Amino acid sequence: MNWNDTLSAVGPVFAQGLFLGLGLIVAIGAQNAFVLRQGLRREHVGSVVVFCAVADAVLITAGVFGMAQALGDRPELARGLALGGAAFLAVYGWRALQRARQANTLDVNSFGQGLSRGAALAQAAAFTLLNPHVYLDTVLLVGSIGAQQPAPLQGWFAAGASAASLLWFSALGFGARWLAPWFARPRAWQVLDALIGVTMWVLSLLLVRHVVNGL
């Protein structure tokens, strides 16, 4: 790619990483409930938000560049992983649409009393790093999709996915008192899951198109 082509592609690639990251991270789960809980208590919010965002950024970057190096001279494996990722996104989108039919809320009342900064960071680390899905989603899936991008754009894809984590955790932590009543409404999560489902299907189709165009 020449310089002009690279510049014109930066926005779409960054946006693809951003929407993929948001689609994967915006869900009812222990990590999100913990960050929201810390925000509601106004307890070590900055430390928890920064830790979660940086941990995601490190995993995303390692996934994208690690997978790019591993797949560099294996186009057949790259296409196979891309199609596998497209299938995963399609199923993930379908599950999100199924969740949109159910009434769920985010429970922030199951994390006990106040925590020291060290204890809060230890819990954040546990929720982030001991969840096996983080390695499937963040390292393998995001990494393999990011590795499909041209080399000059892989960093932008990783930056977009990392920005999604930073935006989401910042909103949860620092906007907790405004967001908590919204997240307590089942209808809000139903709408959010519907949007996630559609987004994941669009990304899945884009990934399939990328593979077909590369044949």
Side-chain angles (χ1 to χ4, degrees):
M1 297 181 68
N2 60 43
W3 179 247
N4 289 332
D5 290 338
T6 300
L7 287 178
S8 63
V10 163
V13 169
F14 183 91
Q16 186 177 353
L18 178 69
F19 287 119
L20 176 61
L22 287 173
L24 292 173
I25 200 172
V26 178
I28 295 175
Q31 185 191 43
N32 285 336
F34 178 71
V35 175
L36 185 62
R37 178 260 194 196
Q38 293 302 111
L40 288 172
R41 295 177 63 89
R42 298 181 181 178
E43 187 178 82
H44 317 303
V45 180
S47 299
V48 169
V49 167
V50 168
F51 177 88
C52 291
V54 170
D56 269 11
V58 170
L59 292 171
I60 288 166
T61 302
V64 170
F65 290 102
M67 292 299 293
Q69 184 175 7
L71 301 176
D73 56 353
R74 299 178 179 88
E76 294 81 7
L77 180 57
R79 284 193 290 269
L81 282 176
L83 290 175
F88 179 91
L89 292 177
V91 172
Y92 193 102
W94 178 80
R95 289 180 176 174
L97 293 174
Q98 292 298 108
R99 290 197 306 270
R101 300 171 59 186
Q102 304 170 1
N104 296 304
T105 59
L106 188 60
D107 180 18
V108 299
N109 298 315
S110 57
F111 293 96
Q113 301 302 312
L115 300 171
S116 66
R117 188 182 304 275
L121 289 175
Q123 287 199 25
F127 288 128
T128 301
L129 302 176
L130 297 183
N131 177 8
H133 290 288
V134 74
Y135 300 101
L136 174 64
D137 296 350
T138 306
V139 179
L140 183 59
L141 178 65
V142 177
S144 61
I145 294 175
Q148 309 296 321
Q149 308 296 332
L153 297 174
Q154 289 168 1
W156 289 103
F157 181 90
S162 300
S165 294
L166 178 60
L167 289 173
W168 177 247
F169 289 129
S170 295
L172 278 182
F174 296 110
R177 292 187 178 275
W178 178 77
L179 291 172
W182 191 81
F183 284 149
R185 302 172 186 168
R187 183 64 176 171
W189 283 102
Q190 289 176 304
V191 171
L192 198 54
D193 278 327
L195 291 174
I196 289 171
V198 172
T199 299
M200 289 307 193
W201 279 0
V202 170
L203 291 173
S204 177
L205 290 173
L206 289 175
L207 200 53
V208 170
R209 189 182 69 173
H210 174 79
V211 173
V212 171
N213 288 342
L215 294 176

